[in-house]
Structure formats: C-alpha cells, structure tokens
Amino acid sequence: MISNITEALFSEQPQETLYHYTSLSGVLGIIGSRTLWASDIRYMNDSAELRHTADLLANEVAKRINQVHPRPHLLTCFLDWVKHRITNGHILFGASFRSNGNLLSQWRGYSSVGKGASLGFNPSAVVACAAKQQFRMGRCIYDHLAQQALIAQVIDSVEVLADGIEDGVERTVYHQLFEHLESDLLRLAAILKHPSFEEEQEWRLVSPVVSDYRDAAVNFREGRSMLVPYMRFSLVLDDSNAVDLDHVYLGPTPNISLSMNSMKMCLDKHGIRPLSGIEYCQIPYRQN
C-alpha cells in the first residue's frame, strides 16, 4: 500500500521553471561540472522534515492507542523502529528546487555576504536527467490535513503488513516486517515539510535509496560544522546535450552592475545563455 502512495506522489511532473538557490562558489561548481550535489537529507539545512514525519507518526499512533487500538504493541514497535531508522537506517540523497526564484528567505539562507544566485532550470530537462539516473522528482506537501491523511495510510499499511501475526511477539519479528516499508517511508518523509515552510513551494529531487554507502557513489564535502555525505547528479542528457538554464536571478549584492557583468561573462564562457536572461533580484543589500 505505501508503495502506491509514494508512486502517486512522485508521479506529478513540474511544469514551471525550477530554481536552485546556491552560493557563487556553487554556481561555479554547477556550471563547470554540469552536476548538482544531492546531499544526504539528514544533513540538509531543512532536514527537520525527517523529525516532522516522525512526529506525525507519533501523533497518529497515540491517537489510535487512545482509541483502544487492538494492537498497541505493533504500533509502539513501529514507532520505535522509525525513530531509530531515521538516523541509523538507509540513506536518501536530495537536491532542492523552488517554484519561486526570488524569495527573501532563500536569499538569507544561500547568499551570505552578497554572494548567491538562483539558477532556473527547464523542468522537463531536469526530469529527463532524473529518469536517466533513477532519481525522482516530488512536490513537497505542506498542508497539515493532507499530511495527516498520508500518515494514516502509512499506519494502515503497517496493520495490513502485520495481519496474521499475533500481537505481543518479539520486536525483531516486527522489525523484519517493517524493513519492507523503509524505502517508501524515506521517500515520503523527504517531501513532507512543516507548514511554516509553505512559502518555498519546493520540489525535491531524491535519489534511489542507498542501503550500503560503502558500495555506492557517495562522496563527502565540508559542511558548516561536519562532513556531509552527497551524491553527484548529472545535468548532462547525453554526450553532446547538457541541461541549459531558462533564467538566472542574481542575489542581493552591494555591487549590482559589476556582479551582473561577471555573472554574464562566466555563463557565456561556459556556453550558457539563459533563455530568459539574467535578472537582479531587486532586493536591497544590507550587511548588519
């Protein structure tokens, strides 16, 4: 059942330009290598969605137990397993895109000291690259009622999966069952975001689930306070056809004319000419 849920959620295709906010060093890396870095979602800036999913599950389990659910041991075992596997289980890598390429909240997060841009990609081209690399694109869900309904379906799936097993068995018996849900549960958690982030209207590019990082193409980069695992996502469709840019926003900067000029020069040097050009965000630069 849960696989049907995630398949439906990841079947919607983006229609509008997909913006990826990044630093100027990120711009150089992306256009120079024609790749994006998809980070382990547990290490992303807004990784709280994993905890958010665990909280939603905890609320649903508590509600069912309070309503005198016939299998409380099953539900508590599932919740304990989820809390452990979120930080110690399989790995999912993701990259973030926004429908809006000019959000003040995103500039604050990605363009420190006037050094940032949002790169607008053609959605069909990104989806085509994703399919080639077995990545999936999903629209993030912010509506609380929609999230509750999805979580209820997840718990229903758990009950169906454990049908025929007597409640009260050893936890390991249940844990072996829950493993069948882990990959789809991770994909679902990757696109359930707290309602307070709704302004972002994010699309999340997610990798295949990695069960053993040692045998996967996992790399590491320096983060703000730790090493961050990541996978490379190629923006090349074939040997002679890379994903081009539809549009670029330059983030807040104290030197608008010079920054615009050097950005145009850099893109042109790499043979990139955004279809809708390069535009300044029009947000005043302030440095406190």
Side-chain angles (χ1 to χ4, degrees):
M1 291 173 62
I2 188 173
S3 61
N4 293 335
I5 297 170
T6 55
E7 189 61 34
L9 291 174
F10 283 91
S11 63
E12 183 182 0
Q13 301 299 307
Q15 303 299 320
E16 299 178 343
T17 300
L18 293 173
Y19 287 93
H20 180 74
Y21 288 79
T22 187
S23 63
L24 292 185
S25 62
V27 171
L28 293 175
I30 291 167
I31 65 175
S33 66
R34 299 298 176 100
T35 61
L36 290 175
W37 287 2
S39 299
D40 182 335
I41 62 173
R42 299 173 299 179
Y43 293 79
M44 294 177 74
N45 292 338
D46 48 5
S47 61
E49 63 256 22
L50 292 181
R51 295 192 298 274
H52 180 58
T53 299
D55 290 342
L56 289 169
L57 287 166
N59 292 337
E60 181 65 21
V61 165
K63 183 180 76 172
R64 296 195 184 199
I65 290 177
N66 289 336
Q67 293 172 346
V68 195
H69 191 276
R71 308 193 66 181
H73 181 60
L74 167 66
L75 298 187
T76 54
C77 282
F78 177 66
L79 190 57
D80 289 343
W81 176 83
V82 165
K83 290 178 178 179
H84 173 73
R85 296 301 292 179
I86 275 180
T87 55
N88 299 282
H90 294 343
I91 307 174
L92 195 68
F93 295 83
S96 298
F97 295 87
R98 308 286 191 266
S99 299
N100 188 334
N102 191 16
L103 284 172
L104 178 58
S105 61
Q106 298 304 294
W107 292 128
R108 285 172 172 163
Y110 289 92
S111 61
S112 60
V113 203
K115 297 189 291 185
S118 66
L119 306 178
F121 292 94
N122 179 279
S124 298
V126 174
V127 170
C129 284
K132 183 178 178 181
Q133 298 167 76
Q134 297 183 311
F135 276 64
R136 302 293 298 273
M137 181 73 77
R139 182 197 291 271
C140 289
I141 298 169
Y142 303 90
D143 182 77
H144 184 62
L145 293 178
Q147 293 179 355
Q148 285 181 317
L150 288 168
I151 292 299
Q153 292 180 62
V154 170
I155 301 298
D156 290 343
S157 298
V158 172
E159 294 175 356
V160 170
L161 188 66
D163 187 42
I165 298 177
E166 184 178 352
D167 203 35
V169 299
E170 292 290 332
R171 289 174 178 264
T172 53
V173 175
Y174 281 143
H175 289 180
Q176 290 173 358
L177 282 179
F178 301 153
E179 290 174 3
H180 298 288
L181 305 174
E182 184 166 3
S183 294
D184 284 299
L185 188 59
L186 262 181
R187 293 187 185 98
L188 180 62
I191 60 173
L192 293 186
K193 300 196 65 174
H194 194 279
S196 61
F197 294 108
E198 186 172 7
E199 175 197 44
E200 297 177 0
Q201 292 302 301
E202 181 180 345
W203 286 84
R204 176 65 58 79
L205 181 72
V206 298
S207 72
V209 174
V210 175
S211 58
D212 187 349
Y213 68 91
R214 288 164 294 193
D215 293 330
V218 177
N219 305 284
F220 296 87
R221 62 177 176 83
E222 181 182 357
R224 291 181 179 177
S225 60
M226 66 192 77
L227 295 176
V228 177
Y230 74 93
M231 295 183 75
R232 291 186 175 90
F233 177 80
S234 174
L235 293 168
V236 178
L237 289 167
D238 52 53
D239 292 340
S240 60
N241 194 9
V243 175
D244 212 341
L245 295 175
D246 281 354
H247 183 244
V248 173
Y249 276 112
L250 181 67
T253 176
N255 301 296
I256 299 174
S257 296
L258 284 173
S259 295
M260 286 287 288
N261 185 60
S262 60
M263 178 65 75
K264 290 176 182 177
M265 290 172 61
C266 180
L267 294 176
D268 188 57
K269 180 74 173 179
H270 287 85
I272 299 174
R273 297 173 180 81
L275 296 178
S276 300
I278 305 171
E279 185 177 354
Y280 183 61
C281 66
Q282 301 301 324
I283 295 174
Y285 174 81
R286 291 187 176 89
Q287 184 176 6
N288 297 329

